[in-house]
Structure formats: C-alpha cells, structure tokens
Amino acid sequence: MLIDTYGRVATDLRVSLTDRCNLRCTYCMPEEGLQWLAKPDLLTDDEIVRLVRIAVTRLGIREVRFTGGEPLLRPGLVGIVERCAQLEPRPKMSLTTNGIGLKRTAKALKAAGLDRVNVSLDTLRPDVFKTLTRRDRHKDVLEGLEAARDAGLTPVKVNTVLMPGLNEDEAPDLLAWAVEHDYELRFIEQMPLDAQHGWKRDGMITAGDILTSLRTRFELTEEGAGERGSAPAERWIVDGGPHRVGVIASVTRPFCAACDRTRLTADGQVRTCLFATEETDLRVALRTESPDTQAADEEIARIWKLAMWGKKAGSGLDDPSFLQPERPMSAIGG
C-alpha cells in the first residue's frame, strides 16, 4: 500500500511515457521546444511494464493513466497497454493525449485493453488552436476524438484550458459542442507548469469565471461530494442531464486532502505531486538490482513506499512563495 503520513492512500498511477510532444502549447513549452531526455535515460518498455506490475501487484494501484509529453509518440505504446492489461488484478487503464494520431491508433489501443481517453482541446476555432499550439492540427484532433468515441474508448473526456485574450469566451460553445458529440468536457485552471515560468495568478481564468460563463446558457446542478470521491474535477449536471461538465480548480480550490495519485516520470522518477520539487529515483534500482526477481521487486516497492510516506500535505499553490517545479508539464506527465 502507498500511504502517506496524512493517511492518504495512492491507488491511481500516472505514467509518463515520453517527454516529447508534437505540439508547442504556450502554457507548456517554448516554441523551439525543450532539451529532450536522452534515450538511455528513458525507461524501456520492459521497465515501464515491470514498474506498473510492481505498483499493481504489490502497492495497491488500481488505475493507470498513460501520459506524456504526448504518449502516442511512444513507439511501443500499444504493446505496453496490452501487457499491462494482462496483469492480475487488471488495472483500469486510460490515456491522456493531444489527440493527434488517435484516428490511426484508437482501434488498436482499444483492442489492446485501453479503457478510455482524455483528449486536450482548448478551442473550436482553428485559428486560435494554431495560436495556442503553434501547429495547424485542429482537424486532426477532432478526427482523433471521433475515432476514440467510435472505438469505444469511452467516456471520452475533453480537457480544456481557458487563456485570457485567446479562448476565454468559448466556454459555452465548447460545452454545447461536447454535449452534441457525447464527450465529457472538463475545464482545467491554468497551472504553473510552463517551461518559461511565465504563469501568473493575476488574470488567470478561474473556476468561478468558467461557471459564470457557462450559466449564461446552461442550467448547472452540482453533483455533490459523494459522487466526486477523490476525482480532481468538481462536476455539474447540464440542463438536468444526462451530460455533465467538470471543472478542475487546482489553483483556486485545491483538492489535495483527497489526492490518491502517484506519478512516474519518463525517466523513472517518482513524484508524489504534480507540483513537487523533489523526486525519488527508481531507475537506478531497476538497473542495478537483479532484474525480475522477487527481492529486487520488493526493494523497488520499498523505495516507492518511502517516497510516498514523505508526501506533503498540499501542493503549495496557496503559498505566495510557491516554488515552481523545474521540470515542465511535458516531462512530468499531466
């Protein structure tokens, strides 16, 4: 079991498969990209599957989310999903992606055992998409969303970040579109995870701003804490149902007390929080201990447990002296 000193138990594992991405979103990385991890530093497919196996069979992990960077850029993705789907107990598996490449891979991922996807899309306007991502790939994302829905990777969740002066007026249009296409829309407050360290609390679009905008067109009924559980999104029923919309208010309404996550970076580091400034290295243990032996797996599990035991009470975002993580979102896994 992965438990911390505050009694929180981690049952949800986020696995970053790569730090690379084929978009250059302004809230994530600079236009020229970043210094990517060297290939020898990345976990191999076998190492990823082994760590997931240890997490599932020894540490109580029940849900696995594959992230990036952009996880569809990982050549062995389908094989990793297929192998993890064979674990006992079988974890629920999902994928967070920008949607580019989903049209080509959705059916194969479903056949391999993936349960559902989260797709990032911040705008319905191709020109705004190009400004936000510095790439002209809006049509590819829309086609990827359709392919995921048709393949049965449902519920298809759409993650949206609203930015001042770019797409802040689109909340009602995005929700109407999501309802029409049977996607579950989730707005995410912009978080301080950009490589340029350009994030500023002043002027950000807050959860309150988003809900005010949505209520100009829709009737929203709060779902209630019992339905939410440890999920990061507060959800509202739209116009009496059945559709729902979520808001992840990481900055203005932190949900740290209910956090049930542990994170694994593409180079084998455990992060106890998305905003943590410390990491615990599992890659060294993977590569120095005898591979795939019970004693070696127990040692890796011990290191992981120790890392989680030291998890802090909160993200620190409510502290004026908040120290932004050195690694951007693309290297951590959102």
Side-chain angles (χ1 to χ4, degrees):
M1 179 184 294
L2 290 171
I3 189 170
D4 64 32
T5 53
Y6 298 93
R8 296 169 297 191
V9 178
T11 58
D12 185 331
L13 170 63
R14 305 296 168 99
V15 182
S16 174
L17 298 180
T18 178
D19 59 329
R20 297 175 183 266
C21 189
N22 42 12
L23 296 180
R24 296 291 181 271
C25 296
T26 56
Y27 51 78
C28 184
M29 69 173 74
E31 185 171 4
E32 64 274 14
L34 300 167
Q35 183 66 46
W36 308 122
L37 292 168
K39 188 172 182 180
D41 293 334
L42 291 169
L43 296 178
T44 66
D45 293 1
D46 287 344
E47 288 171 336
I48 289 170
V49 173
R50 183 181 173 193
L51 286 175
V52 172
R53 173 171 56 77
I54 292 170
V56 169
T57 62
R58 295 176 180 271
L59 298 173
I61 290 298
R62 298 195 297 267
E63 297 186 32
V64 177
R65 172 86 62 86
F66 297 107
T67 71
E70 174 44 53
L72 292 180
L73 295 179
R74 178 87 186 201
L77 171 61
V78 173
I80 290 171
V81 170
E82 186 172 32
R83 292 167 68 185
C84 290
Q86 296 169 1
L87 294 173
E88 292 292 342
R90 183 198 185 283
K92 293 181 180 178
M93 291 186 296
S94 58
L95 179 81
T96 294
T97 172
N98 61 29
I100 297 172
L102 257 185
K103 182 180 180 181
R104 173 176 51 83
T105 56
K107 288 183 179 179
L109 287 168
K110 180 64 177 179
L114 192 70
D115 295 303
R116 63 171 192 82
V117 294
N118 284 32
V119 179
S120 299
L121 179 65
D122 301 321
T123 178
L124 297 176
R125 303 194 291 249
D127 58 325
V128 176
F129 181 92
K130 188 174 181 179
T131 299
L132 277 168
T133 67
R134 305 184 179 103
R135 298 289 187 272
D136 190 12
R137 307 296 298 271
H138 191 255
K139 181 173 179 287
D140 296 316
V141 179
L142 295 181
E143 290 178 346
L145 278 160
E146 292 176 6
R149 183 193 60 205
D150 294 345
L153 293 170
T154 55
V156 175
K157 296 184 179 181
V158 177
N159 294 339
T160 296
V161 176
L162 296 181
M163 304 280 287
L166 286 170
N167 62 341
E168 61 185 309
D169 61 330
E170 285 197 69
D173 290 339
L174 281 159
L175 182 52
W177 166 82
V179 168
E180 178 186 354
H181 291 85
D182 201 24
Y183 304 140
E184 183 175 321
L185 182 63
R186 308 190 319 165
F187 292 97
I188 304 175
E189 288 182 336
Q190 185 190 1
M191 295 179 285
L193 290 168
D194 58 307
Q196 311 93 291
H197 291 195
W199 177 85
K200 290 181 173 59
R201 186 184 298 267
D202 294 341
M204 64 171 284
I205 309 300
T206 67
D209 297 330
I210 294 164
L211 291 169
T212 297
S213 178
L214 292 176
R215 286 186 170 117
T216 63
R217 197 183 306 179
F218 301 94
E219 178 185 342
L220 302 180
T221 305
E222 192 166 3
E223 211 177 36
E227 293 289 334
R228 181 182 182 184
S230 61
E234 298 175 73
R235 297 202 307 177
W236 282 262
I237 300 167
V238 180
D239 289 341
H243 293 93
R244 286 163 170 74
V245 62
V247 179
I248 299 178
S250 302
V251 178
T252 62
R253 298 206 283 259
F255 39 86
C256 302
C259 181
D260 64 349
R261 298 180 184 181
T262 182
R263 298 174 182 275
L264 186 64
T265 67
D267 54 348
Q269 311 299 308
V270 169
R271 293 180 68 94
T272 59
C273 174
L274 189 60
F275 303 102
T277 54
E278 304 91 16
E279 298 176 333
T280 300
D281 194 345
L282 294 184
R283 188 183 63 199
V284 170
L286 274 173
R287 295 180 179 178
T288 56
E289 297 283 344
S290 300
D292 294 321
T293 67
Q294 183 172 339
D297 286 356
E298 286 177 356
E299 175 60 14
I300 290 168
R302 185 194 68 80
I303 296 170
W304 205 331
K305 288 178 183 178
L306 189 61
M308 291 304 297
W309 184 249
K311 183 173 182 171
K312 295 180 179 179
S315 64
L317 282 175
D318 53 352
D319 185 342
S321 62
F322 170 73
L323 181 63
Q324 183 169 339
E326 286 302 312
R327 298 220 276 179
M329 193 188 317
S330 63
I332 299 169

